[in-house]
Amino acid sequence: MTSSHDRPSRRVLFKAAGLGVGAGLLKPAAALAQDVAAGAAEIWSAEYTAKKGDVSLATYRKRAGEPKSGEAPLPVVLLVHGSSISAQPSFDLNVPGHDYSVMNAFAKLGYDVWTVDHENYGRSARTEGKSDIASGVEDLKSVVELIVHETGRQNIHMFGESSGGLRAAAYAMVKPDRVDRLVLAAFTYKGEGSPTLAKRAEQVEYFKTHNRRKRDREMIESIFTRDKAGTSDPAMVKVLADAELKYGEEVPTGTYLDMTAHLPVVDPAKVLGPVMLIRGEYDGIATVDDLVDFYKQLPNGDRQFVILPGTAHSVVWGLNHREFFHAMHAFLTMPPPVSA
C-alpha cells in the first residue's frame, strides 16, 4: 500500500525519597494483563510506503481485526523511534515467552498502532542526509498524512522515546492540530547535567563532519548497561541486536549532533496539547530538574510526569515495561481534568 500524502496538574507522579510511582493511581501489572486479554482479537497488520518527496519511508500498522468499510475509526497511536534502533525492533520485537511488542500490546488494547522507519533507518530509503530532528519532523508530516488518509482520523496520539521524543514534540509544535495526546519517554530538554550527553559530546566534531556513526552489537548492548546494569533482560538484548543488525552497523549522526550541540530543539510553550513525560529512574539522558523545567512551561494543564522505578533509559525494553504500557494507556484514556 502506498500513499504520498503554572498550574500544576493533579496528575504529576514523582518517584522521590521513598515514594513509588504513584501506586494508588496506577493499576498493578496483572490488571493490565486482563485489559490486554480482553482485547485478544486476532491482530491484523499491514505495511505501507509514505513518500517524503523522493524518499520512501517504510511504515507499519497493527490493530485488532482488519479495518471494515463504514466502521468508526479506532484511536490511533504513532510510535516514533530513537537514534540507534529502527521502528520494528523498537516497537514490535518478538522475544519468545515475553511481550515486548508495544504494537501488539496497544493493538489488543483497542488502538490502531503505527510506526515508521525514519530516513536512513530500517527499510526506509538511504540518502546522503544526516537524518536530524528537522528531517524526522518532515518524515512525520508525510506519515501522519498517510495515517489520516488510511484511517479517517484527523488527529492522533503520538509516542516518542529518546530522540524519537524530540522528533514527536518538534512535530507537535508545527502541527498541533494533528496531535491529540503526546507521550515523551527518555526525553531531554536542555540536556543540562546529563552524563550520557556529556560523554557523547566528546565526539561532537565527528558528528559535525560525518553523516554516519558506528552502531554495532557492542554499542547496542551498551544502551542497556550505561545507566544501570540489571534493568533489562539480556535475552531481550540479544534478540534486539540480532533484529537491528540486519540493517547494517551504521546509523546517521544527525540526532546525536542535535542532542550534543543544538539543544533545546523543542520549545515547551509551543507544545499545546496534553503531554505525558515518562522517565526511567536511572536514565542518564536527562535529569529530573531538566524535565521539570520543561514540564513547568507546558501550557496545557492536562499534563503528567511519571518516573518508572527500576527502569533506565528505555521504558520500552526495561524489565518494568508493562508499567510503561499501563501508564501510557491510562494517560491516553483518562478524561481531561475539570477546569477550576
Side-chain angles (χ1 to χ4, degrees), residues 7-20:
R7 185 187 67 178
S9 166
R10 57 188 171 83
R11 302 179 188 174
V12 186
L13 306 179
F14 289 103
K15 182 184 184 301
L19 298 178

Side-chain angles (χ1 to χ4, degrees), residues 93 134 245:
L93 189 66
L245 288 172

Side-chain angles (χ1 to χ4, degrees), residues 13 25 89 142 148 150 168 192 199 228 236 284:
L13 306 179
L25 297 179
S142 299
V148 169
E150 293 293 326
E192 297 172 350
K199 181 67 175 177
K228 186 176 179 62
M236 178 279 300

Side-chain angles (χ1 to χ4, degrees), residues 10 19 22-23 26 45 66 80 105 126 143 163 168 194 200 215 227 251 260-261 277-278 283 318 322-323 331:
R10 57 188 171 83
L19 298 178
L26 299 181
S45 64
E66 185 175 357
V80 187
R126 295 303 191 265
V143 173
S163 66
S194 166
R200 196 175 293 174
R215 189 281 324 267
D227 297 327
V251 287
T260 53
L277 294 169
I278 305 182
D283 187 17
R322 294 181 64 83
E323 291 189 6
F331 176 68

